Amino acid sequence: MRFYPEPDYSHGKIGKTAVVLLNLGTPDAPERSAVRRYLKQFLWDRRVVEVPRPVWWLILNGIILPFRSGQSAKKYASIWTKDGSPLKVHTEKQALLLKGYLGERGHEVHVTYAMRYGSPSIPSVLNKLKAEGYERILILSGYPQYSATTTASNFDAVFQHYQQVRNVPELRLVKNYHDHDAYIEALRQSVLKHWQTHGRPEKLVMSFHGLPKAFLLRGDPYHCECYKTARLLAEKLGLSKDQYLVTFQSRLGRAEWLQPYTSNAVKELAQQGTKRIDVICPGFIADCLETLEEIAMEVREDFLHAGGKEFNYIPCLNESPSWLRALAEIAEQHLIGWPTMMTVSLREEQKQQALISRSEAKRIGAPL
């Protein structure tokens, strides 16, 4: 069957609105087999790797998956919690709290989450919303800075799913919020809270996830949006240009990626006599392998072994109230025009309209 079966249709039913918070994903367990499944799905995405498929299939299945799966599983094990993957735990909490923050603003919406790779998958979540009668869906990516490798890949998965749906709901997509005032303010508060406890560093390093340089040259705006986020945050903190540094992490393969590389940059700072640095990762809204293991463990070691004396990692925004307020504000701006704020009189009016519609549908013999 080309299309998924539709749920029973009921005339006059009041459509509901949902917000879906999307993030990258995570293995189901810190084990080789689970990590292999996750990496295979992630690295086979054409948005992530643009190498011709036959060549990339050989590299992925013959080299990367056999060797990288075990190494990555050990890294995941080092950050795994009793509740599971930190990324999944934080994303689930963010979705739950976002519903409450939107409710305080008067919005009657359902909020859930999905992962681009792994579970809960985007198709499974969208199918569930369909079955539960949600006819308006706001897709809110967990990537402040847009990139074809992340945000567009999320959109691909949403569009591919709805190619198999007969009655497609109304959709809205949040492309980015890298320069949104509330997001920048949440970052500012996070940094200041850390400094109130630990004091200020000699240098604040803002580390973003890397991309192959070729993607920038082909028109991906991610690099520029990262620098704008960094500039706005530095201005909010009152930092001069020599008090902060923008870097990029998480390289894969031998091709040139966006520079400066985080690992190399912190080593150079230590070798130049910088004794203390603080590192924040503004491109991640929730702590994950790339922040907790790569930055807080590996990059810390790089800095200390190169002669640095003090390294502090500033956690991601996670469930901080300032961030949840910002996320609610971002979502609310994209909900405008949808009937999510219902007064008592409007509720009664819609109920009456539903009864009239049901009566008319029964008169003409239409299915209820």
Side-chain angles (χ1 to χ4, degrees):
M1 182 180 295
R2 178 179 177 183
F3 298 107
Y4 296 122
E6 287 286 326
D8 293 338
Y9 185 79
S10 178
H11 285 274
K13 181 175 62 177
I14 300 174
K16 298 182 291 184
T17 302
V19 177
V20 183
L21 180 62
L22 300 185
N23 217 318
L24 184 75
T26 179
D28 293 323
E31 301 168 357
R32 185 187 184 95
S33 58
V35 172
R36 183 187 178 98
R37 287 194 304 272
Y38 167 74
L39 288 178
K40 187 172 185 177
Q41 185 184 11
F42 171 41
L43 295 176
W44 190 246
D45 189 337
R46 292 176 182 270
R47 292 282 194 180
V48 175
V49 180
E50 296 184 9
V51 176
R53 294 295 94 179
V55 175
W56 182 240
W57 188 93
L58 292 173
I59 296 173
L60 178 62
N61 291 279
I63 301 175
I64 294 178
L65 292 179
F67 295 99
R68 192 179 179 92
S69 298
Q71 297 172 356
S72 294
K74 292 179 182 178
K75 293 182 178 182
Y76 275 105
S78 71
I79 65 161
W80 214 258
T81 73
K82 62 181 180 60
D83 296 318
S85 163
L87 176 65
K88 190 171 184 178
V89 171
H90 286 304
T91 305
E92 186 173 11
K93 289 179 180 179
Q94 286 174 344
L96 178 64
L97 292 169
L98 177 58
K99 177 177 173 60
Y101 275 82
L102 286 171
E104 290 178 358
R105 290 170 174 258
H107 294 279
E108 186 178 351
V109 297
H110 174 62
V111 181
T112 187
Y113 76 99
M115 299 295 185
R116 177 63 180 92
Y117 317 104
S119 62
S121 69
I122 292 174
S124 68
V125 170
L126 296 180
N127 271 332
K128 184 177 180 182
L129 292 176
K130 176 75 169 179
E132 294 174 351
Y134 289 92
E135 297 181 0
R136 293 176 294 272
I137 299 178
L138 173 64
I139 302 296
L140 178 54
S141 287
Y143 314 114
Q145 298 78 23
Y146 172 91
S147 172
T149 61
T150 52
T151 313
S153 180
N154 275 350
F155 294 170
D156 285 347
V158 172
F159 297 148
Q160 288 166 7
H161 170 75
Y162 282 121
Q163 286 179 345
Q164 302 175 77
V165 173
R166 190 177 303 276
N167 185 10
V168 177
E170 187 175 355
L171 289 171
R172 291 182 182 175
L173 310 166
V174 179
K175 180 179 180 180
N176 55 16
Y177 41 90
H178 64 289
D179 56 356
H180 195 284
D181 288 343
Y183 159 67
I184 300 298
E185 175 60 20
L187 290 173
R188 185 187 76 89
Q189 290 190 30
S190 176
V191 174
L192 290 181
K193 180 180 178 181
H194 178 83
W195 287 352
Q196 286 171 0
T197 302
H198 303 280
R200 286 178 173 250
E202 295 171 65
K203 185 86 72 172
L204 176 64
V205 177
M206 304 184 198
S207 180
F208 294 84
H209 198 286
L211 283 182
K213 184 178 179 180
F215 289 14
L216 166 64
L217 300 179
R218 293 168 188 164
D220 195 301
Y222 175 77
H223 178 265
C224 298
E225 294 190 1
C226 289
Y227 269 95
K228 186 171 185 181
T229 295
R231 176 176 60 80
L232 293 174
L233 176 57
E235 289 174 356
K236 281 275 191 177
L237 292 168
L239 300 179
S240 60
K241 290 184 178 181
D242 63 345
Q243 291 179 307
Y244 74 97
L245 177 65
V246 178
T247 64
F248 297 90
Q249 63 187 86
S250 308
R251 285 176 286 166
L252 175 65
R254 298 181 179 179
E256 181 181 358
W257 281 45
L258 299 178
Q259 296 193 43
Y261 301 136
T262 301
S263 178
N264 292 350
V266 302
K267 291 177 185 177
E268 290 177 8
L269 287 173
Q271 292 164 358
Q272 292 167 2
T274 303
K275 299 303 180 184
R276 173 186 163 179
I277 62 172
D278 289 357
V279 182
I280 187 172
C281 299
F284 299 89
I285 66 170
D287 274 312
C288 54
L289 183 73
E290 286 77 8
T291 64
L292 297 174
E293 196 279 335
E294 183 177 359
I295 296 298
M297 297 181 187
E298 292 184 8
V299 172
R300 175 194 297 273
E301 285 298 309
D302 291 337
F303 179 71
L304 297 178
H305 283 176
K309 299 302 181 183
E310 184 178 352
F311 177 104
N312 289 303
Y313 167 64
I314 301 176
C316 288
L317 295 172
N318 296 326
E319 297 84 54
S320 67
S322 60
W323 166 234
L324 270 299
R325 286 193 294 270
L327 198 57
E329 184 175 328
I330 293 165
E332 185 177 49
Q333 290 174 354
H334 291 269
L335 290 169
I336 291 175
W338 278 352
T340 61
M341 303 190 75
M342 294 188 183
T343 62
V344 174
S345 59
L346 180 58
R347 289 174 189 270
E348 291 302 318
E349 180 181 339
Q350 291 201 0
K351 287 180 181 179
Q352 290 300 318
Q353 289 295 327
L355 290 173
I356 294 172
S357 297
R358 287 175 181 273
S359 177
E360 180 63 18
K362 184 176 181 179
R363 185 184 66 78
I364 64 176
L368 296 175

